Amino acid sequence: MDKNKSRNFSIFMYIQLGAAVILSLFCISFHADISLVAFPVAVIYTAITVFFCLRVIIKKNAKLIPLILRLTQYLPFVLLFCFVIRRAGQFGTPFWYDVITVLCWWIVFIFSFILTDCMSEKKIKIITQKWAVPFEKHPKRHGFNWFVFEALDWIDNLVQAVFTVLIFQIFVLQLYVIPSESMVPTFLIKDRVLVTKFTSGPKFPLTEIGLPVITKYKRGNVVVVRNPHYKIDRKSEIKTVTSQLVNMLTFMTVNLNTDENGEMKYDPLVKRVCGVPGEQLVMQDGTLYRRTKDSDIFTPVEEDAKFACWDLTKVNKTILQKIETYPLAFTQPNKTASNINAVLSSASSNYQTMLDFEEKRRDYDLDAAAYRAKELVRSMKGLCFTDNVMTGFEEPSLNELDLFLGYANDVNTIMNYKEGIVWFEKFMTSWIDSKDKARDVYEESNFRLNVMTKMLYGELVVRGAYVVRGGTSNAAFETDSVIAEYLDQAQILDWYVRVLLDSRNMPVFPANDPDGTPNYIPENCYFMMGDNRFNSLDFRHAADTFEASLTKGDPLSVTYESQMDPHYVDRKLIIGKPTYLFWPLTRRGAVQPR
């Protein structure tokens, strides 16, 4: 029996060493970048391990058991480092190459545990009792030697534990700290959750080799997903792995996961699955609609209404005072939340203002607006200075904010330049020919916003021209009650367009083909949003703003600073599912759809 155990021990050792040698050879690189480091490190460490392990096995000398125990325990971690460095260079490796090296690493990793168990004090005595030099327990240490040995042993155990947890995090479970309030009230900033990964097909670092995906995501599932706004390549991946290691070594207090500007990366993200394969979506006034190939009619997604949190003042009272930012409030909570009542009042009032504005837009009479637009043009023509034929007129910016901020200056240029009234007429009436065309709910809404903006601008310009014709200075604009009323309306309209529009709505997605043929979310792809819709830069948005037209139905459409860029993500970017909130203890529990 003892002979069999000794033989098995030798076999286990040969298997691990053989796999380590193959993996080390596969770390070779011929490219002049960081990947060159992998091969010498792997070969040197593996050679040292092979040398001492063979010396123990061949000579049956157990004196070196403590040494080879440490060497074989650290072997998978050193080779993992080399594996990652080999793939961190400019050039990747073929799929078959990764398959062989990943298999070899797993053999090394698994047999490191088997050999550690074999080299436990009780078992190694039995295995080596008939060796030339059997294992003997080291004499008890005293004084300074004892202190040094215990310190090194403690550090050794800590380092091994960290690397083991790192492997565990890659493939099984991961601790995740919530970085933002995009998922309020489900999660708050600094909440800590356990993320289940093994069902989501985790991959070996920098490869496509890993476990199969065994879960099918449904609408309402909360997931942890890579942020597609950041570049995902070998360089960023090695930084991600490194930051995870440092994060664990510092007990989640140091995060090196930063972008090229040194800012903390919001990667990965926690979001909720809102759109699934086979659907086309659109969102208007906070309601998500869907349709499929089986039905060309958009219908409300009732489940989404359960998740979406538009009015933070309605969340659980125990969470209210812990929220750091109320997007609709004009004032924010102080450190002690002593002003929370004022914050809630402001947020609630502005939420109602938004609802009233959306109702006004829905009821807006385009026929009446078309008639009024022509009336404003006629009025402005009568107010222009016909004896002044100045040239060199520069058309005003079509940005909605610029229009309202610059209306007073535009009054003078339109009245004084012969091209001014020509531009004003085109601007005020360019939408009329498209007034009765069929549009989807999002396009119709934005078309109306465009008209509302133009009409309000037109009213300001014409009223300003009346003031000028009255012989008063431009300073009179500030005291005119009619202009003041228009500016109050403009403030609300500008607030909705610049602050709320891209959060409250979303165009048809995936977009139709030019001929109107609908497209749908592909298989194994998903669309996601945060629960806190006004405070979530999610899969509706681009990372940066850009100038966009409010509508395609007007050649002189008003523009605004937009982030609207809806996109889905492949399931391979989904890391896992948060399953348990373990901190703070007062809110601990399984993560469930609301």
Side-chain angles (χ1 to χ4, degrees), residues 49-89:
T49 304
V50 169
F51 174 79
F52 286 107
C53 287
L54 291 181
R55 188 174 178 183
V56 169
I57 294 173
I58 294 174
K59 294 187 176 183
K60 303 295 182 183
N61 186 342
K63 280 188 176 182
L64 295 176
I65 288 294
L67 175 61
I68 67 170
L69 172 62
R70 294 293 180 264
L71 288 172
T72 55
Q73 285 177 333
Y74 279 95
L75 184 58
F77 306 132
V78 173
L79 293 180
L80 177 62
F81 167 80
C82 296
F83 180 96
V84 172
I85 293 298
R86 171 62 184 87
R87 284 150 183 80

Side-chain angles (χ1 to χ4, degrees), residues 6 58 89 156 234 298 373 429 514 526 585 587:
S6 178
I58 294 174
D156 169 66
R234 286 185 295 276
F298 281 106
T429 61
Y526 300 88
L585 296 177
R587 294 178 29 247

